[in-house]
Amino acid sequence: MSARRLARTLAAPAACLAAAVLGGWLLRLAYGADPQWMLDFQVYRAGGLAVRHGAALYDVTATAEHLPFTYPPFAALVFAPFAAVSLAVSGPVSVVVNLLLLQLVVWRVLREEGTAYGWRIAATAGVALAAMWLPPVRWTLQLGQVNIALMALVVLDLVLTARPGGRWRRWAGVGVGVAAGIKLAPGIFLLYLLLRRRYRAFATGTAAFAATVAAGFAVVPGDSARYWGGVFLDASRTAVQVKTSEQDLRAVLVRALHGAPGVLAYWIPVAVAVLAFGMAVVVRLDRRGDPLMAVLACAGVALLVSPVSWEHHWVWAVPLAVALAVRAWTRRSVRLGALAVAVTAAVAVRPEVWGVPDPHAPLHLDPVQLVWSSWLAVVTFALLVLAWAAAGQRSATSAPG
């Protein structure tokens, strides 16, 4: 390999690594003294420590808030290596790794959209350094969450393997299955594969998920039996739905009804209806030859119907905004450009700024406050409606006359 070609090959990873290290240092400088620094990461790490020391996984708590470990046993196995080193080391490493994975997602989106190699390098690093200050990304990094890692597993799996005949297609579904083994919500992408009649990918993803469950039973059989025997259904371990930082449909209904009692009678039919409509949007986008937008729409559906979706789960806005911005540029579309700006602005806004309280008791909100307190859910559903309409227009114009 010539020196010039070697330099070109190494330019992208070098730029991404430099951006990740710089971003990690800036974030540590800005928020390292915050009491919530690595708050959720401590919970993951506590799960890893429980596995290493043979403690009861679903009895351990972490941080001064005594937060319980609520994830599948496989997640604890994944974090066991992080428990072997101190939090002072593993925490910053998690930030750098997450920023690298964010850039990997952005790189894949830019490549999917046909961006030139040189521009891709600069844009990938630049987007990551800018996006890390958006609340969903910043909170994911600051808390030490896994949202970006799960997004990377799904995007690289489903987008990379979407084209027939690709060399990675035989592995389609593995990333989704592993992601679902760490957190259950990505399991909705298995439904996406099934609806698209990608039966081999669905079977592979299901097998990968089953392998994560089997790994849990092999290493921590008692904890696995306890988790799959009912702990995974215990929503009381995960969230207080009145808080504005939770944006799923169930939380919206809890705030609308001024409390949680009886909310299941409303949430289940609403969630089923949104799931049916959302997956119809996803299938429509995929059939028109837009697998990237189909995957992003499926992520939006998952965020809405999941029993728990915190504000920091909306990291999916980054690849969506990037894809819209590139399409706006290449198609000279003001409408797509405005939509990219709107998506970015939507996740940049925090409900508390607009006078919505954020207590730990049931809220009594007026209609305007209710909309603001559910801002991300409202925007996500609106985007699904727009996607349905846009896909329908595209299909109509491409149909033979």
Side-chain angles (χ1 to χ4, degrees):
M1 181 180 293
S2 67
R4 183 176 180 179
R5 186 172 180 181
L6 179 62
R8 176 181 169 85
T9 302
L10 295 178
C16 289
L17 180 60
V21 172
L22 174 61
W25 177 74
L26 290 173
L27 198 77
R28 182 71 173 84
L29 195 65
Y31 297 103
D34 192 299
Q36 292 188 306
W37 176 257
M38 291 294 120
L39 188 73
D40 290 344
F41 186 80
Q42 292 180 60
V43 177
Y44 289 116
R45 191 169 175 274
L49 283 169
V51 170
R52 294 176 65 89
H53 298 152
L57 184 57
Y58 297 102
D59 290 334
V60 301
T61 58
T63 78
E65 299 182 28
H66 303 290
L67 298 175
F69 187 85
T70 62
Y71 312 100
F74 182 71
L77 304 187
V78 171
F79 275 86
F82 286 92
V85 295
S86 69
L87 182 64
V89 174
S90 57
V93 167
S94 78
V95 175
V96 173
V97 170
N98 270 312
L99 282 170
L100 285 171
L101 292 173
L102 178 62
Q103 291 179 91
L104 195 58
V105 170
V106 173
W107 179 273
R108 187 66 237 173
V109 170
L110 291 172
R111 184 169 182 178
E112 194 72 12
E113 295 299 319
T115 308
Y117 183 80
W119 283 106
R120 211 183 307 153
I121 295 175
T124 297
V127 166
L129 288 174
M132 63 178 279
W133 303 108
L134 291 173
V137 179
R138 177 175 67 79
W139 279 113
T140 290
L141 298 172
Q142 183 179 343
L143 294 172
Q145 263 290 350
V146 296
N147 309 310
I148 293 173
L150 300 182
M151 178 173 67
L153 281 170
V154 171
V155 169
L156 293 179
D157 183 345
L158 298 184
V159 176
L160 197 61
T161 64
R163 308 300 181 190
R167 61 174 177 171
W168 298 104
R169 194 169 175 85
R170 70 177 64 180
W171 300 102
V174 172
V176 170
V178 171
I182 297 173
K183 270 191 175 183
L184 297 179
I188 194 173
F189 291 98
L190 292 174
L191 176 60
Y192 160 69
L193 290 171
L194 185 61
L195 291 174
R196 285 305 296 126
R197 299 180 182 179
R198 294 180 61 182
Y199 299 126
R200 176 173 175 173
F202 171 77
T204 301
T206 303
F209 173 69
T212 68
V213 176
F217 274 100
V219 180
V220 283
D223 292 319
S224 294
R226 184 178 173 188
Y227 180 80
W228 297 112
V231 168
F232 77 100
L233 295 173
D234 186 2
S236 66
R237 295 174 61 91
T238 55
V240 181
Q241 289 84 29
V242 294
K243 294 189 61 140
T244 57
S245 51
E246 192 176 346
Q247 291 286 304
D248 52 86
L249 288 174
R250 189 177 65 156
V252 172
L253 289 171
V254 167
R255 291 193 288 269
L257 298 171
H258 312 304
V263 74
L264 283 180
Y266 298 91
W267 172 62
I268 291 176
V270 170
V272 170
V274 171
L275 177 64
F277 169 69
M279 296 312 292
V281 175
V282 170
V283 170
R284 197 177 218 188
L285 287 168
D286 196 277
R287 283 178 176 170
R288 82 168 195 181
D290 198 348
L292 174 59
M293 283 299 172
V295 169
L296 295 177
C298 191
V301 177
L303 291 169
L304 289 176
V305 303
S306 173
V308 180
S309 290
W310 293 99
E311 176 189 17
H312 53 74
H313 292 169
W314 262 259
V315 293
W316 288 90
V318 175
L320 176 59
V322 169
L324 289 171
V326 174
R327 293 181 185 193
W329 176 260
T330 56
R331 301 176 188 179
R332 302 296 188 265
S333 171
V334 175
R335 184 174 61 179
L336 287 176
L339 198 54
V341 172
V343 168
T344 305
V347 293
V349 170
R350 304 207 70 202
E352 300 93 293
V353 176
W354 300 91
V356 178
D358 193 17
H360 291 270
L363 301 176
H364 294 274
L365 304 176
D366 61 43
V368 174
Q369 287 180 322
L370 181 61
V371 171
W372 279 122
S373 71
S374 310
W375 180 240
L376 290 176
V378 170
V379 170
T380 301
F381 186 77
L383 288 172
L384 288 173
V385 173
L386 287 174
W388 172 265
Q393 290 174 359
R394 176 80 174 267
S395 299
T397 56
S398 60

